[in-house]
Amino acid sequence: MENVDFARLQMAFTLGFHIIFACIGMVMPFFMVVSHKKWLNTRNPLYLELTKAWQKGVAIFFVTGAVSGTALSFELGMLWPEFMKHAGPIIGMPFSLEGAAFFVEAIALGFYLYGWDKLPEKFHWFTGIIIGLSGVASGILVVSANGWMNAPSGFDYINGEFTNIDPVQAFLNPAWFTQALHMTLAAFVATSFAVAGVHAYQIYKGRRIELHKKAFKIAIVFGAVAAILQPISGDLSAKDIAKRQPVKLAAMEAHYETQKGAPLFIGGIVNEKEKEVNYKIEIPGALSFLAFGDFDAEVKGLNAFPQDELPPVAIVHYAFQIMVGLGTLLMLSGLFYFLSTRKKHWQSKKKYWLFFTFLAPLGFIALEAGWVVTEVGRQPWIIHKIMRTKDAVTPMPGMEFSFYMYVLVYVTLAITVTWLMRRQIKVLNASKY
Amino acid sequence: MLYIVLFFTFFSFFLYVLLGGADFGAGIIELFASPKDKETARNISYRVLGPVWEVNHIWLIILIVILWVAFPGYFNVIMIYLHLPFVLILLGITLRGVAFIFRHYDAVVDRSQVLYNWMFRISSFITPIFLGMSFGALIGGEIIITEDYAGYSFFEIFIDPWLNYFTLLVGLFYATLCAFMASTLLIGETQGEARKMFSRKSANYTLLLVIIGLILVAYGYFTEVEFILDFITNPVSIGAIVLSAILLIPLWKSIRKQNRIWSRWLAGIQVVLVLFAAIYAHFPYIIITSEKELSLLEGVAPDEVISNLAIMLIIGGAVILPGLFHLMRSFNMIKILEKEKEEMKP
Ligand code: HDD
Ligand code: HEM
Ligand code: HEM
């Protein structure tokens, strides 16, 4: 592997790490304020206990998100100096707004964590809302910057120079809305199912059932709603890509031959050398319909594009299958949850809780897979059709060491945070009310 | 518009140096304190810096974002040639941040606290040293900007410029500065024994700072580091330094009297004066390489970008500064008479 490959791996790894913490940091505050509100309304001490336990979670995840994010803002420049030199000014607007959003979030967090019994109750609760809202805002803003890499706009590209820069147009690039919508929903899906799963497991184990049921309910309602909306938004994204990045669409579907009434492949093993997909299930016309809303529309295949502009097909295809498969499963689970609120006796079955425990990691797996689709599907471009990834990388050799170091540090961190969370739950279970 | 952006650039730079520095300093004090004082320092830094420490570090992010948006050419050079010290800084920031939060939010208080504490203290000390070294590298005149990477060894391009005596001195200087700021800040936040301890520390660190500062200038002078030469021949810089030296006298007095307000202001003013003196002599040429001086304004972003950024910064500032002010006021004013135990649980 070359330097650029290690730089890409490092970027992928650190982003994949950050996104987990960022999502939890975005969504947990909402659970926290709901529980907090219930405490204010009912004065049931269980809600207070839950709020305080979740608040510790928010604090731990916030900091891990913040330090990994700080590392990222340096990394963009350290790994891709050529990219940042040209793209930095163009996509500066979402990033500078994001800086403001972080500030608001950190300030609100300061108030919230240290404000118990010191601030007026209502105001204190309200600062929790601000944490959540500013977290979502920062998520949307960075995704808009990523959207620009997929759908560069807001400048003229003449003889290798970027001129006539319009930061507002770059910010509101054609990809930002579908991506931001899909990402925000994904954050809710992934975090909610994960949190709900953790509490479901405690119920399954029969520990402090009353408390954990309250927690489960708050989390799963967010998750179920988002999971039901997710495929709709995913369909919007796919239609958008069909117009904007047809190569990516073709790679997602491992669709080699241009054809009318293109079939949708489910599963299948991609053979990149022979340019074919074996052992797949075909649904005739479905791809054309998904991409253009018309069963007969023509969908361009991979063979119709210059061969040096193709992304790695197999990875993108598999990742897409994983995302859509899990998305469907989670949507059905969301519906199942709402159904189960009508059929109370289901909830007394142990299997019910085991089922939700099993769902816990799936949202995050779908989310990582989705990012692989977006990012690997954009290759070989760092800026779609403008700049190649290999032309953007740092001239400094030895990126493999940097990559290994990050893996070591982040894996250690991840293990520690998981261990800390287990301790939080143990303490929560051990305390007696 | 460019002036607004420049204003915010230096504003966030100064604030990071001051606030982030005080934050690092609290850890440094803990590292070098006696076991009994360590405990005091730990609890106090949690109470005083806890609500704001996260905010303090966002100034660094703001600074980085402004640099890459408005001064991409300049940012590009830093990011390529100072890659390694930045990796170390990031490592330090990461370990420090998580250690801080772990030691205060771990649900179980047991032996792992020892690990968190040492992780926090050591990274608090190391990180500002590397920050100082990076700054030292920018002004040290050893950076080689080239397209011909094969013509030089890895060491010449990526290591020597930031790893030499000069940069080490700058690093130590900054770390001492951090400890000085933290101890001076904390005088005002404590009472009785603890306050005496911080007053003592503050006086010691001031002395140490002056000594290292003198060594730094002397070393720079004798090895002909251009930045230092220009610095000591520039009348405005000299004036600022002399002023800050004169201010040492009232500072020491107020530290001895344990006057919280005055010692804080004086310390802040001094640090700003020293930084100002250092940067003024060379502005806007803040990268000095082996060949030439590189201006901050070289390759500045186009006007549309600068105006957009300036507007964003003004809006952001209008939202943030009142909130921040309110946050600091809400918590710094809270008296410390609550029991230790209260402080341990958030
Ligand atoms: C919980 C996570 C999750 C779930 C259940 C889904 N997705 Fe997704 N998807 C993401 C999480 C995600 C993501 C990680 O958030 C991505 C990466 C970039 C983005 O904007 O969202 C993404 C990207 C992404 C893209 C590429 C967007 C681009 O490159 O601009 C498409 C076409 C879809 N998704 C489509 C779907 C469909 C049809 C789903 C149907 C079930 C689906 N996703 C479920
Ligand atoms: C947090 C969620 C994200 C994940 C999991 C993610 C994942 C990835 C992956 C897998 C790659 C490697 C692609 C390859 O080289 O094959 C990559 C590259 C990259 N990503 Fe992302 N990405 C995320 C968000 C973003 C955002 C928001 C931005 C920018 C603002 C961004 C900027 C980049 C850059 C600059 C590269 C390197 C160039 C390239 O390989 O094209 N990413 N990311
Ligand atoms: C899709 C991708 C991303 C999403 C959704 C996202 C979202 C977030 C969120 C919600 C936070 C707040 C931290 C928390 O509450 O835990 C955060 C922190 C941060 N992110 Fe990301 N981020 C993404 C990618 C990036 C990238 C590419 C960068 C680098 C340029 C970045 C830089 C940062 C920084 C600097 C912080 C720390 C801010 C602080 O101190 O609060 N993020 N991110």
Side-chain angles (χ1 to χ4, degrees):
Chain A
M1 289 208 289
E2 292 174 45
N3 221 30
V4 60
D5 298 316
F6 281 105
R8 284 163 64 179
L9 273 179
Q10 179 178 332
M11 197 71 202
F13 181 76
T14 44
L15 279 161
F17 182 87
H18 176 69
I19 193 73
I20 296 177
F21 294 90
C23 284
I24 297 176
M26 250 152 96
V27 177
M28 281 279 272
F30 287 99
F31 302 165
M32 187 179 80
V33 291
V34 170
S35 168
H36 191 164
K37 185 78 197 164
K38 294 203 170 187
W39 149 248
L40 294 181
N41 289 348
T42 63
R43 299 286 163 182
N44 179 343
L46 283 181
Y47 281 119
L48 180 61
E49 207 190 339
L50 187 61
T51 310
K52 292 216 170 174
W54 273 345
Q55 143 187 304
K56 284 195 175 184
V58 168
I60 293 176
F61 280 107
F62 180 81
V63 169
T64 331
V67 291
S68 59
T70 309
L72 276 179
S73 41
F74 279 85
E75 252 185 294
L76 279 181
M78 286 159 65
L79 298 180
W80 316 104
E82 272 313 293
F83 166 67
M84 286 314 283
K85 189 172 174 179
H86 301 290
I90 307 178
I91 51 172
M93 186 168 159
F95 280 115
S96 42
L97 284 173
E98 197 201 8
F102 287 151
F103 250 120
V104 173
E105 190 175 356
I107 291 173
L109 192 75
F111 274 119
Y112 192 83
L113 292 181
Y114 293 80
W116 289 95
D117 305 329
K118 286 177 192 147
L119 300 172
E121 250 175 14
K122 285 254 168 60
F123 177 71
H124 180 223
W125 177 78
F126 179 70
T127 57
I129 298 261
I130 302 284
I131 303 177
L133 289 182
S134 48
V136 168
S138 42
I140 291 176
L141 290 163
V142 250
V143 171
S144 146
N146 183 268
W148 181 83
M149 294 162 62
N150 283 321
S153 56
F155 61 93
D156 292 328
Y157 190 63
I158 302 164
N159 299 331
E161 293 291 329
F162 294 81
T163 51
N164 283 331
I165 296 174
D166 177 352
V168 180
Q169 211 193 327
F171 172 36
L172 300 176
N173 57 71
W176 88 272
F177 180 75
T178 44
Q179 268 196 265
L181 176 68
H182 196 61
M183 175 64 221
T184 310
L185 286 173
F188 274 91
V189 173
T191 311
S192 311
F193 274 96
V195 172
V198 168
H199 292 284
Y201 181 67
Q202 303 301 323
I203 302 170
Y204 172 73
K205 283 275 168 186
R207 299 185 189 123
R208 301 202 65 198
I209 292 183
E210 206 190 334
L211 173 77
H212 288 297
K213 275 199 172 160
K214 289 192 163 38
F216 174 80
K217 190 170 165 206
I218 294 175
I220 197 70
V221 169
F222 277 102
V225 172
I228 293 167
L229 298 175
Q230 187 74 339
I232 304 173
S233 133
D235 183 52
L236 282 180
S237 294
K239 292 205 162 41
D240 207 33
I241 289 198
K243 279 186 258 130
R244 173 159 55 75
Q245 288 171 301
V247 201
K248 192 192 263 182
L249 182 80
M252 276 157 41
E253 300 295 350
H255 175 68
Y256 281 100
E257 298 298 335
T258 304
Q259 72 191 105
K260 290 204 167 131
L264 184 72
F265 298 159
I266 297 185
I269 305 228
V270 182
N271 186 335
E272 284 189 52
K273 282 217 191 69
E274 303 292 327
K275 308 201 166 177
E276 58 187 25
V277 186
N278 306 316
Y279 314 114
K280 70 225 169 198
I281 305 170
E282 274 186 52
I283 308 177
L287 177 56
S288 297
F289 180 74
L290 279 184
F292 297 103
D294 170 4
F295 282 103
D296 291 324
E298 183 182 86
V299 181
K300 273 189 147 190
L302 289 162
N303 294 339
F305 298 96
Q307 293 302 298
D308 69 334
E309 292 183 10
L310 298 189
V313 179
I315 301 179
V316 178
H317 178 65
Y318 297 142
F320 187 63
Q321 301 280 312
I322 292 173
M323 170 172 66
V324 176
L326 293 178
T328 314
L329 176 62
L330 291 174
M331 177 189 70
L332 295 177
S333 313
L335 292 172
F336 171 71
Y337 170 74
F338 284 123
L339 207 64
S340 74
T341 52
R342 296 280 173 83
K343 312 251 181 210
K344 283 282 179 213
H345 62 278
W346 290 2
Q347 298 207 4
S348 57
K349 294 235 165 41
K350 273 208 151 186
K351 263 189 244 153
Y352 181 86
W353 301 110
L354 194 60
F355 174 67
F356 279 100
T357 310
F358 158 77
L359 294 181
L362 300 188
F364 277 106
I365 299 177
L367 186 130
E368 300 280 1
W371 277 105
V372 170
V373 173
T374 303
E375 303 285 283
V376 181
R378 186 187 60 238
Q379 301 307 315
W381 305 105
I382 190 168
I383 308 173
H384 183 61
K385 295 264 185 198
I386 306 269
M387 184 189 281
R388 282 176 192 263
T389 310
K390 69 170 164 30
D391 298 331
V393 73
T394 177
M396 195 185 88
M399 284 312 303
E400 58 269 35
F401 301 107
S402 160
F403 170 64
Y404 296 138
M405 188 201 80
Y406 273 95
V407 172
L408 185 76
V409 172
Y410 280 15
V411 168
T412 317
L413 258 186
I415 294 173
T416 319
V417 171
T418 317
W419 177 72
L420 284 178
M421 288 296 139
R422 288 195 50 186
R423 301 214 321 175
Q424 300 281 6
I425 291 171
K426 270 203 194 125
V427 169
L428 193 62
N429 284 336
S431 59
K432 47 209 168 292
Y433 257 97
Chain B
M1 284 303 194
L2 183 60
Y3 287 101
I4 297 177
V5 172
L6 279 173
F7 169 77
F8 274 97
T9 313
F10 285 100
F11 185 68
S12 33
F13 175 70
F14 284 146
L15 278 180
Y16 184 66
V17 169
L18 283 173
L19 299 176
D23 220 52
F24 289 125
I28 301 178
I29 294 175
E30 231 186 278
L31 179 65
F32 291 109
S34 65
K36 189 174 109 266
D37 292 350
K38 276 193 168 64
E39 193 54 33
T40 323
R42 176 186 189 278
N43 293 335
I44 288 166
S45 74
Y46 172 65
R47 184 177 49 74
V48 177
L49 298 172
V52 288
W53 81 275
E54 181 60 46
V55 182
N56 290 347
H57 289 270
I58 298 184
W59 293 112
L60 178 64
I61 299 170
I62 302 278
L63 178 64
I64 291 291
V65 170
I66 296 180
L67 283 181
W68 93 43
V69 176
F71 311 109
Y74 187 82
F75 181 72
N76 183 274
V77 172
I78 301 183
M79 287 291 133
I80 294 179
Y81 296 97
L82 295 181
H83 191 117
L84 292 175
F86 277 123
V87 168
L88 297 168
I89 289 170
L90 290 176
L91 196 65
I93 291 181
T94 308
L95 294 181
R96 185 177 182 282
V98 295
F100 183 85
I101 208 84
F102 288 175
R103 74 182 191 168
H104 296 296
Y105 285 90
D106 191 346
V108 185
V109 179
D110 62 8
R111 298 258 318 276
S112 44
Q113 289 287 336
V114 178
L115 178 70
Y116 305 152
N117 281 338
W118 283 105
M119 213 163 101
F120 176 74
R121 292 167 194 155
I122 292 176
S123 48
S124 293
F125 182 50
I126 306 279
T127 315
I129 291 193
F130 284 122
L131 276 169
M133 286 173 83
S134 307
F135 186 72
L138 289 182
I139 57 173
E142 303 275 333
I143 293 180
I144 302 170
I145 295 185
T146 175
E147 292 284 305
D148 168 29
Y149 291 96
Y152 294 90
S153 74
F154 185 81
F155 275 84
E156 280 170 306
I157 297 189
F158 295 111
I159 296 194
D160 288 346
W162 60 271
L163 191 63
N164 52 51
Y165 292 116
F166 178 70
T167 58
L168 269 172
L169 278 171
V170 178
L172 276 180
F173 182 76
Y174 183 54
T176 318
L177 192 71
C178 293
F180 158 73
M181 288 186 297
S183 46
T184 314
L185 175 83
L186 290 175
I187 296 175
E189 297 297 332
T190 45
Q191 287 182 338
E193 275 304 304
R195 178 177 255 193
K196 278 207 196 96
M197 172 189 102
F198 285 117
S199 304
R200 209 170 55 235
K201 291 214 180 304
S202 170
N204 293 347
Y205 281 118
T206 319
L207 188 64
L208 190 63
L209 191 64
V210 174
I211 296 174
I212 297 184
L214 288 177
I215 299 179
L216 179 64
V217 172
Y219 180 85
Y221 180 74
F222 287 115
T223 55
E224 299 184 7
V225 174
E226 196 187 305
F227 185 82
I228 299 284
L229 296 181
D230 288 358
F231 167 65
I232 53 182
T233 50
N234 184 306
V236 178
S237 298
I238 293 287
I241 290 294
V242 169
L243 188 59
S244 109
I246 295 175
L247 284 179
L248 271 178
I249 299 164
L251 175 69
W252 253 320
K253 272 201 183 129
S254 61
I255 290 177
R256 182 136 3 103
K257 287 203 195 115
Q258 301 176 3
N259 184 320
R260 48 191 287 186
I261 313 283
W262 271 106
S263 51
R264 223 178 259 188
W265 274 107
L266 284 169
I269 292 172
Q270 275 190 315
V271 174
V272 172
L273 276 174
V274 172
L275 284 175
F276 169 78
I279 290 174
Y280 179 84
H282 253 272
F283 187 79
Y285 298 94
I286 315 181
I287 294 181
I288 304 173
T289 71
S290 55
E291 303 269 298
K292 60 166 187 172
E293 301 183 359
L294 194 76
S295 163
L296 179 63
L297 303 178
E298 193 166 299
V300 65
D303 288 345
E304 309 88 54
V305 173
I306 295 289
S307 328
N308 182 278
L309 179 65
I311 294 168
M312 295 301 125
L313 287 171
I314 291 173
I315 296 175
V319 177
I320 289 159
L321 292 177
L324 192 59
F325 182 69
H326 195 68
L327 180 71
M328 294 193 158
R329 216 189 41 187
S330 299
F331 293 100
N332 277 0
M333 295 291 137
I334 295 168
K335 286 286 175 286
I336 12 77
L337 298 175
E338 308 155 59
K339 285 260 168 323
E340 298 272 274
K341 243 196 321 180
E342 287 291 321
E343 285 166 10
M344 293 307 297
K345 60 173 188 219

